[in-house]
Amino acid sequence: PRPRRRRSRRAKGKGPRAKEPRKTGEFKVCVCGGAGGIGQPLCLLMAMDPNVKELCVFDLNVAMVPAQGVATDLGHLEKKAAVKGYVMEVGQKPVDNLEECLTGCHLVLIPAGMPRKPGQTRDDLFKINADIAKGIVEACAKYCPDAMLGMIVNPVNSVVPAMAELYKKKGLDPMKIVGITTLDVVRANKFVVRLPAPPDRVNVPVIGGHAGTTILPLFSQDKHAKTIDAEKIPDLDKHVQDAGTDVVNAKNGKGSATLSMAYAGARLGKSVLAGLAGQRRTECAYCKSEITDLPYFAQKVVFGKEGISKVLPLGELNEYETKRLEEVKVQLKGEIESGLKYAEENS
Ligand code: NAI
C-alpha cells in the first residue's frame, strides 16, 4: 500500500500554526545625557527594544542638539516606544525638574558627564562627573527609588561606590546602582577572534573594575578563548585594558568611545528589562560586592524580576588570572576609597 502522506496545515486550509506570542514588558526608561555622543545612539537602541513602552531623553539646554529633537526624531521609528524629551538649564537641579520624567521609570541609564580627552585619565574627571551623577541620582531616589540605575559616567570605579553609598544613606538598596562595564566584555569577545565562532558566541567574563589594570578578562572561562596560547594572553589582556584609550587617541581630542559604548550600554539595559520581564539574563556589572574583600567589584550578576536577583561566584581562575586579581585589588581599592570619601563628604 502507498504510504499515507501527511497533509500540511496549509493543504487542510488552516494556515501556519499560531505561535504563542512572547510577552513583552511595558517599561519606562530614561537616558540622562540622552542628547550626547553616547546618549543619542543609546536612545536609538533602547527605543528599538520591544520591552520599552516609554523612553525619556533628558539633557541640558547646552547639549549638542536639544533633547526634544532627539525625542521627535526617535518618535518616528515604527516601534512601540513613545519618546519624550526633557531639557534642563545648566545650573538647575534635576530634583526640581525631573518629576514627570523620572516618575514610573524602571531603568535609568546615565551617560551624562564629561568624556576623557587625550592625556586625561578617568580619575581626572571624578569630581565634575560625580557632582553631575549625584544630582541625577538624588532625583532618582525621590521619583523612582525602585528603578535600576546604570551608570556609564566615568570614572565608574569611583562614581558607583559614591552613588551606591548615597543610596544606602537614604535607606535605599545600593544594589539598584550598577556600573556599566559591558564594553569591556564586548571588547574581550571581539578581540578573541576564534573562527569559526563569531564574536557574539564568545562570552569572556570581565571582572574587577572599569579602568586600566582593574579590567580583568577571564579568558580561561570561555570555551573558545581558553584555547588561545598562554603566551598570547598578556597582550590580549592589555589590549582590552587599553581599548578605551585607543579610541580616545583615535578620535584625537574629539571624544571617547560612543557608538560601541551605546551598543554595550543597550546590551546591559536590555538585559535588565528582560530580567524584569521574567527572562533572566547574566551579565558582568560593577556593583556592591561580597565575593572578594573589596566592597565594590565587577562581577557576574543575574538580572531578574527585582533587578539583581543573584551574584555568581568568581569561578575558577588560572595562575595568570589569580596573579592579576591581586594587581586589580591594589589599584581598585584606592579608587573605591575615593568614591566612599566623596559620599562621606557630600551627603
Ligand atoms: P558627551 O559630552 O558627548 O555627552 C554627555 C552629555 O551629558 C551631553 O549631552 C551633556 O549635555 C550631558 N550632561 C552633562 N551634564 C549633565 C547633567 N547635569 N544632566 C544631564 N545631562 C548632562 O559625552 P559622551 O561621549 O557621551 O560620554 C559621556 C560619559 O560616558 C563620560 O563621562 C564618559 O567618560 C563616559 N564613558 C563611559 C564608558 C563606559 O564604558 N562606562 C565608555 C565611554 C565613555
Side-chain angles (χ1 to χ4, degrees):
R2 273 173 61 193
R4 264 183 70 202
R5 276 178 58 201
R6 285 187 67 184
R7 289 171 68 213
S8 68
R9 288 180 63 83
R10 199 202 274 162
K12 289 181 195 159
K14 283 186 171 176
R17 194 186 301 274
K19 268 198 196 145
E20 188 73 20
R22 195 152 149 221
K23 275 208 193 113
T24 55
E26 300 285 315
F27 299 120
K28 180 174 173 182
V29 176
C30 178
V31 179
C32 299
I38 297 170
Q40 289 195 46
L42 178 58
C43 285
L44 168 64
L45 295 169
M46 292 312 295
M48 292 167 67
D49 185 345
N51 280 322
V52 178
K53 183 179 161 214
E54 195 179 341
L55 178 69
C56 298
V57 183
F58 161 58
D59 211 307
L60 298 177
N61 59 335
V62 293
M64 203 180 340
V65 292
Q68 289 106 329
V70 176
T72 305
D73 197 353
L74 291 176
H76 294 171
L77 302 186
E78 47 180 355
K79 298 288 172 190
K80 168 168 104 180
V83 192
K84 210 164 164 190
Y86 293 86
V87 177
M88 188 181 83
E89 279 182 30
V90 176
Q92 288 190 329
K93 282 185 163 181
V95 76
D96 299 330
N97 288 273
L98 296 187
E99 179 168 0
E100 183 190 299
C101 171
L102 292 175
T103 301
C105 270
H106 299 89
L107 170 67
V108 181
L109 296 167
I110 310 180
M114 308 297 280
R116 274 195 298 160
K117 302 208 166 59
Q120 268 187 326
T121 65
R122 290 180 178 89
D123 221 29
D124 293 335
L125 302 174
F126 180 45
K127 174 74 175 114
I128 305 169
N129 282 352
D131 287 348
I132 293 173
K134 179 170 176 266
I136 295 169
V137 166
E138 279 176 350
C140 293
K142 183 157 180 200
Y143 300 123
C144 54
D146 295 327
M148 285 300 296
L149 272 51
M151 312 294 298
I152 295 170
V153 48
N154 266 319
V156 166
N157 285 359
S158 307
V159 170
V160 169
M163 299 307 129
E165 293 296 317
L166 291 176
Y167 245 43
K168 224 162 78 180
K169 286 196 177 142
K170 288 177 187 289
L172 298 173
D173 180 4
M175 291 299 266
K176 295 285 181 193
I177 299 188
V178 298
I180 302 191
T181 57
T182 321
L183 185 52
D184 302 320
V185 174
V186 165
R187 286 169 172 157
N189 293 345
K190 177 75 176 194
F191 299 163
V192 161
V193 196
R194 263 321 194 227
L195 293 173
D200 62 359
R201 284 301 175 87
V202 180
N203 193 11
V204 178
V206 181
I207 61 163
H210 175 66
T213 50
T214 68
I215 299 170
L216 173 50
L218 300 179
F219 293 109
S220 73
Q221 292 192 5
D222 173 77
K223 72 172 179 196
H224 302 289
K226 75 177 176 194
T227 62
I228 296 171
D229 295 341
E231 67 265 26
K232 291 192 179 146
I233 292 295
D235 280 350
L236 205 51
D237 178 15
K238 194 89 178 60
H239 190 17
V240 177
Q241 290 175 41
D242 293 343
T245 305
D246 292 343
V247 179
V248 170
N249 292 337
K251 289 196 175 176
N252 200 17
K254 299 205 167 137
S256 56
T258 54
L259 302 172
S260 52
M261 179 59 237
Y263 169 85
R267 171 174 150 175
L268 195 279
K270 288 176 189 178
S271 289
V272 170
L273 298 184
L276 294 178
Q279 297 132 24
R280 292 153 68 93
R281 292 275 192 285
T282 301
E283 295 280 356
C284 291
Y286 179 73
C287 52
K288 196 140 186 45
S289 174
E290 290 172 356
I291 63 167
T292 69
D293 43 358
L294 291 177
Y296 288 85
F297 203 74
Q299 54 200 348
K300 292 171 233 169
V301 300
V302 180
F303 290 109
K305 286 190 170 167
E306 305 293 326
I308 292 179
S309 61
K310 205 170 165 187
V311 175
L312 302 178
L314 276 185
E316 235 175 87
L317 270 58
N318 64 20
E319 203 185 319
Y320 174 81
E321 292 159 352
T322 307
K323 232 167 75 199
R324 276 274 287 115
L325 179 59
E326 291 315 306
E327 191 186 12
V328 166
K329 284 187 187 172
V330 174
Q331 178 66 24
L332 188 52
K333 188 165 183 284
E335 296 178 11
I336 294 170
E337 275 162 9
S338 307
L340 300 182
K341 189 159 162 260
Y342 177 92
E344 200 56 46
E345 291 170 357
N346 293 276
S347 54

